[in-house]
Amino acid sequence: MKTAIRVALFLTIAILLVVSLLFPLMHTIIDPLVVVANESVYAELITAAGREDQLFQTYTNGNGHCNFTGTQFLTAVGAIDVWVRTGVKPTNAFFPAALGFQQTFVPPPMLQP
């Protein structure tokens, strides 16, 4: 593999890891492409790594992969902004049910074979 491709791949993976660990994770409850149960596994991995203080998960009533409303997306961006600027992790209060956020939703465990 050429060096430029390796560097690009490394940077892409690094960016994805940093982004996934530093802001709220938003997921639609009904997602046929990436099932919401993946989020329970992700939370377990982050907790096992001792980094649960760097993860906030929220869920929307959207149907489909990343099918967020503009308002939901802007709400998440606002939460990220506040978290980065103040160091205060978001809470469910930042994601109101009136905007389609499902504050009490807990993703099911991932089924194992």
Side-chain angles (χ1 to χ4, degrees):
M1 192 182 312
K2 293 185 177 180
T3 302
I5 294 173
R6 287 183 182 172
V7 169
L9 182 59
F10 172 80
L11 290 174
T12 300
I13 292 170
I15 289 168
L16 288 173
L17 287 173
V18 168
V19 166
S20 68
L21 292 175
L22 293 178
F23 69 82
L25 181 65
M26 186 165 60
H27 201 288
T28 55
I29 291 174
I30 302 170
D31 185 341
L33 184 60
V34 179
V35 296
V36 74
N38 288 337
E39 302 310 334
S40 63
V41 175
Y42 186 69
E44 289 171 10
L45 290 171
I46 295 298
T47 300
R51 302 190 71 163
E52 61 273 8
D53 61 323
Q54 295 180 353
L55 176 67
F56 180 83
Q57 295 173 295
T58 190
Y59 303 91
T60 72
N61 60 1
N63 185 349
H65 184 67
C66 294
N67 191 18
F68 310 120
T69 67
T71 305
Q72 289 169 339
F73 183 77
L74 291 174
T75 300
V77 169
I80 295 166
D81 179 56
V82 170
W83 194 355
V84 169
R85 284 188 299 108
T86 67
V88 177
K89 184 177 174 177
T91 66
N92 278 333
F94 205 91
F95 299 90
L99 297 180
F101 291 99
Q102 304 297 303
Q103 297 175 334
T104 60
F105 179 78
V106 175
M110 179 63 83
L111 297 177
Q112 300 296 321

